[in-house]
Amino acid sequence: MPKLSEVCHHVRSKNAGPFWITLDFSFADQQAFDRYCNAPAFDPATIGQTMNVDASLVKVFRVPKLRVVKVSYPRRKPQGGMLERDMHGGQQYVRFLDLEMA
Amino acid sequence: MSQRLRDTTNIIVPSGSLGAGIRAEHIDAGIAAGAHGIACDAGSTDSGPAYLSSGKCKYSKAAIKEDFRVLMLAQAKANIPLLVGSCGTSGCDMALDWTRDIVLEIAREHGLSPKIAMLYSEQSPALLTTRASEGKVTPLPPLTGSGIDLFGECDHIVALMGPEPYIAALEAGADIVLGGRTTDTAVLAALPLLRGAGKAASWHSGKIAECGGLCTTHSREGGVMIRVGKDAFEVEPLGNVSRCTPFTVSAHMLYENSDPFLLTEPGGVLDVTDAIYEAVDERVVRVTGSRFHDKPYTMKLEGAGRGGFQTIMFVGIQDRAVCAEVDLFIERMHKALCERVKTTMGLPSDAFDISLRPYGWNAVTGMPVDDGAAPPREIGLMFVATAPSQDIATQIAKTCNPWFFHMPIRPEVELPSYGFPFSPSETERGPVYDFKLNHVVHVAHALELVRTEYVNLKEAAHA
């Protein structure tokens, strides 16, 4: 079973305001997008578990024209507080790279 | 080549953020291509709550001044308006006044006399408390509650303006409009809306161009020009090197948005679900099919306040026994340091926080590393003490210093010495800041919570 990093050609994460993180999973071609855009890795439950956040607040969008799956979830703590480790949310995608893609 | 759009309002968007660097030749190119105005954003929450809470700008005065100098000279020469939103990073009143003083300095140095409008959107806790008690402040997810308990904890609260205060200032004859906190999109949409461009096209073009060249193939090679018509807009790079393609332009809708299709703005929602992005030629893209749904007017609130104070220390560790069992080491050290602070300083455990972050292991996420991960060759271990005062935070660091310096992974091991890069070993970070609000305030009209002032350049010249 391939890993997410093997089927996506670009993955990024970023703040979407101080309270949300958004991830863009970009596929290289239409075939890969069609095959994997509904993979269990993109279920809110998997995402919630991977990032230790409430799955009921996870939003998942499929953007076929861009061959992108977009995932947004609330930060565990608002950006920039006492225990902040990634101010711009730019490294939050890395934990997804090894998810297995059915 | 397709025919270009006619009867458009053309806006130069020189940069994603004022202060990041603007080149005069790019602005000249936009003016030569028929620009009706220049619009740019100068702020964001993206770098954290410190800038709003402290009221200080993220960028240096020199960087802001140099960009303003280029834009003000172009404004005067071409006699087209210049709009800058979210001045001084946070857009609070003191950040806006700081920006005004830079603009006045440039005006004096170059003998310029533009009519300058100032749009203030900082809000008082008292006013918001009243509004909240009337049910006019509501939370956005993931927050709940009216915010009434939070307003007093904020050092500054700003409300994000829409385009209406900019439009009013332009109608009053302003050459330069300096805005407090505003949505990025609104600053760019204001002049097209004033000149009769389509609502959806104005908002959507503003969204696409908000980060300047980020919607092009070479994001560092200058900004873009948007040409906004009734039902469509075009976007093109200002620099020769860059191109706009349907992919680079449409992909920008993903950037820093939690929703790629809907964007909530002060007076409605931009809906790009059915937008079509087409290449006009190899460097210009035309966009059609976006919609704007009018909604009751709301302004988003941002508030930040100061929390505790932090003092940090840092060591490099290559000790192989430690690197082989980083998690165990961190756990033991954390326990030992907390105990030492409690017994030595007499502090209860809820009066301070010690955070140990092994860079090279799991410092960035703070989450467990996968089982079976290879040991790192070295780690940088950051110690962060948080306490109610700077002095206590520093005393905690000093109390922990010998243990942080010498603690072995097992008690029977001879004392190691880890690699401090600095003397003194502790560094005072100052206060910690927090974003407190994620709410909107409902208003009857767009100018209700905005204060507009015009700068009297003659008086300012004698100041």
Side-chain angles (χ1 to χ4, degrees):
Chain A
M1 212 178 278
K3 289 180 173 181
L4 185 140
S5 60
E6 293 159 349
V7 302
C8 287
H9 86 126
H10 187 57
V11 185
R12 66 182 181 184
S13 60
K14 192 74 172 61
N15 293 334
F19 293 83
W20 285 78
I21 296 281
T22 189
L23 299 141
D24 297 331
F25 299 95
S26 178
F27 292 88
D29 55 47
Q30 197 63 44
Q31 198 188 350
F33 175 81
D34 292 342
R35 180 160 176 193
Y36 297 113
C37 74
N38 291 309
F42 299 129
D43 286 347
T46 315
I47 291 153
Q49 199 175 12
T50 306
M51 297 313 290
N52 192 20
V53 295
D54 181 354
S56 70
L57 291 170
V58 172
K59 300 193 272 191
V60 182
F61 303 93
R62 289 162 185 92
V63 191
K65 282 180 199 162
L66 292 168
R67 301 188 296 260
V68 163
V69 175
K70 188 173 184 65
V71 169
S72 302
Y73 61 86
R75 280 172 159 269
R76 287 191 299 279
K77 291 267 175 67
Q79 174 203 9
M82 184 176 101
L83 296 175
E84 181 62 73
R85 292 160 182 255
D86 185 6
M87 188 66 71
H88 300 89
Q91 293 295 305
Q92 298 302 302
Y93 68 93
V94 177
R95 288 180 66 85
F96 289 86
L97 296 177
D98 291 335
L99 288 180
E100 294 198 331
M101 303 296 282
Chain B
M1 190 190 286
S2 317
Q3 187 143 21
R4 299 296 299 270
L5 282 182
R6 289 186 181 178
D7 300 326
T8 54
T9 297
N10 308 332
I11 308 293
I12 295 171
V13 187
S15 170
S17 182
L18 189 96
I22 292 171
R23 277 159 53 187
E25 66 262 33
H26 291 153
I27 310 304
D28 291 343
I31 289 169
H36 298 104
I38 306 170
C40 186
D41 172 64
S44 172
T45 57
D46 198 41
S47 294
Y51 304 100
L52 176 56
S53 192
S54 70
K56 289 182 179 164
C57 184
K58 178 181 174 185
Y59 296 135
S60 70
K61 180 187 169 187
I64 296 292
K65 188 174 176 183
E66 176 54 18
D67 280 0
F68 257 123
R69 191 183 63 80
V70 171
L71 296 182
M72 285 173 68
L73 289 173
Q75 185 281 318
K77 193 170 144 198
N79 195 25
I80 55 175
L82 166 62
L83 285 63
V84 180
S86 301
C87 286
T89 306
S90 67
C92 73
D93 289 0
M94 84 183 253
L96 184 56
D97 288 341
W98 178 83
T99 305
R100 174 200 58 206
D101 291 345
I102 294 172
V103 166
L104 292 178
E105 206 172 286
I106 298 166
R108 278 196 296 276
E109 287 169 7
H110 293 273
L112 305 173
S113 52
K115 180 171 181 178
I116 302 172
M118 309 278 297
L119 312 176
Y120 293 91
S121 70
E122 183 160 342
Q123 308 299 321
S124 75
L127 180 132
L128 290 173
T129 302
T130 306
R131 296 291 169 117
S133 63
E134 295 163 353
K136 289 181 178 160
V137 178
T138 48
L140 300 173
L143 294 198
T144 55
S146 70
I148 245 170
D149 53 329
L150 299 171
F151 301 137
E153 296 176 13
C154 298
D155 293 319
H156 296 283
I157 302 171
V158 291
L160 275 79
M161 291 183 277
E164 295 83 358
Y166 290 83
I167 291 171
L170 292 169
E171 283 177 329
D175 300 305
I176 297 178
V177 187
L178 301 179
R181 189 71 170 121
T182 311
T183 77
D184 297 3
T185 324
V187 184
L188 277 50
L191 189 54
L193 287 168
L194 170 64
R195 289 172 48 96
K199 220 172 191 179
S202 298
W203 283 105
H204 193 182
S205 64
K207 174 63 197 169
I208 293 296
E210 63 170 351
C211 292
L214 209 59
C215 63
T216 72
T217 53
H218 293 69
S219 57
R220 291 175 218 285
E221 294 294 328
V224 292
M225 180 133 98
I226 45 176
R227 296 174 186 265
V228 193
K230 283 277 180 205
D231 305 308
F233 69 90
E234 291 174 354
V235 53
E236 64 196 68
L238 292 170
N240 292 327
V241 183
S242 293
R243 295 184 304 121
C244 286
T245 72
F247 186 84
T248 64
V249 171
S250 61
H252 189 71
M253 288 308 298
L254 300 173
Y255 192 68
E256 292 181 350
N257 279 352
S258 64
D259 186 318
F261 303 116
L262 301 176
L263 189 72
T264 302
E265 290 287 343
V269 176
L270 171 68
D271 179 350
V272 304
T273 312
D274 299 322
I276 295 164
Y277 303 79
E278 294 170 297
V280 175
D281 59 29
E282 72 277 2
R283 60 193 304 276
V284 179
V285 169
R286 180 177 304 159
V287 186
T288 52
S290 34
R291 287 169 290 169
F292 192 83
H293 310 297
D294 289 320
K295 300 273 180 191
Y297 210 92
T298 57
M299 297 172 86
K300 193 173 176 203
L301 297 173
E302 291 169 355
R306 216 165 71 170
F309 292 78
Q310 291 186 327
T311 298
I312 64 174
M313 298 190 286
F314 191 88
V315 287
I317 301 179
Q318 287 193 322
D319 182 309
R320 289 182 179 175
V322 173
C323 287
E325 291 183 282
V326 179
D327 291 336
L328 179 71
F329 177 71
I330 298 291
E331 190 191 321
R332 286 188 180 165
M333 181 185 263
H334 189 261
K335 200 173 161 202
L337 297 182
C338 290
E339 280 304 316
R340 175 139 177 90
V341 169
K342 280 190 264 184
T343 53
T344 313
M345 296 178 66
L347 289 175
S349 56
D350 60 356
F352 68 96
D353 182 86
I354 291 174
S355 171
L356 294 174
R357 309 178 189 185
Y359 282 86
W361 189 240
N362 69 345
V364 179
T365 62
M367 294 170 78
V369 173
D370 294 341
D371 290 341
R377 197 173 70 82
E378 66 179 41
I379 55 169
L381 184 59
M382 184 183 282
F383 166 101
V384 185
T386 311
S389 75
Q390 189 71 70
D391 182 55
I392 297 174
T394 297
Q395 293 306 313
I396 290 170
K398 286 171 173 288
T399 300
C400 291
N401 180 299
W403 298 56
F404 188 62
F405 184 16
H406 289 305
M407 196 182 117
I409 190 161
R410 291 196 170 74
E412 67 276 14
V413 177
E414 190 186 334
L415 279 189
S417 294
Y418 303 127
F420 272 105
F422 306 121
S423 171
S425 47
E426 78 283 353
T427 301
E428 295 187 339
R429 270 203 70 239
V432 184
Y433 301 95
D434 286 302
F435 280 119
K436 308 270 187 186
L437 300 177
N438 196 35
H439 293 70
V440 292
V441 56
H442 302 255
V443 293
H445 63 88
L447 302 181
E448 193 179 306
L449 298 180
V450 178
R451 302 169 308 283
T452 302
E453 290 177 15
Y454 293 89
V455 178
N456 185 326
L457 272 175
K458 279 185 187 156
E459 275 181 21
H462 297 297

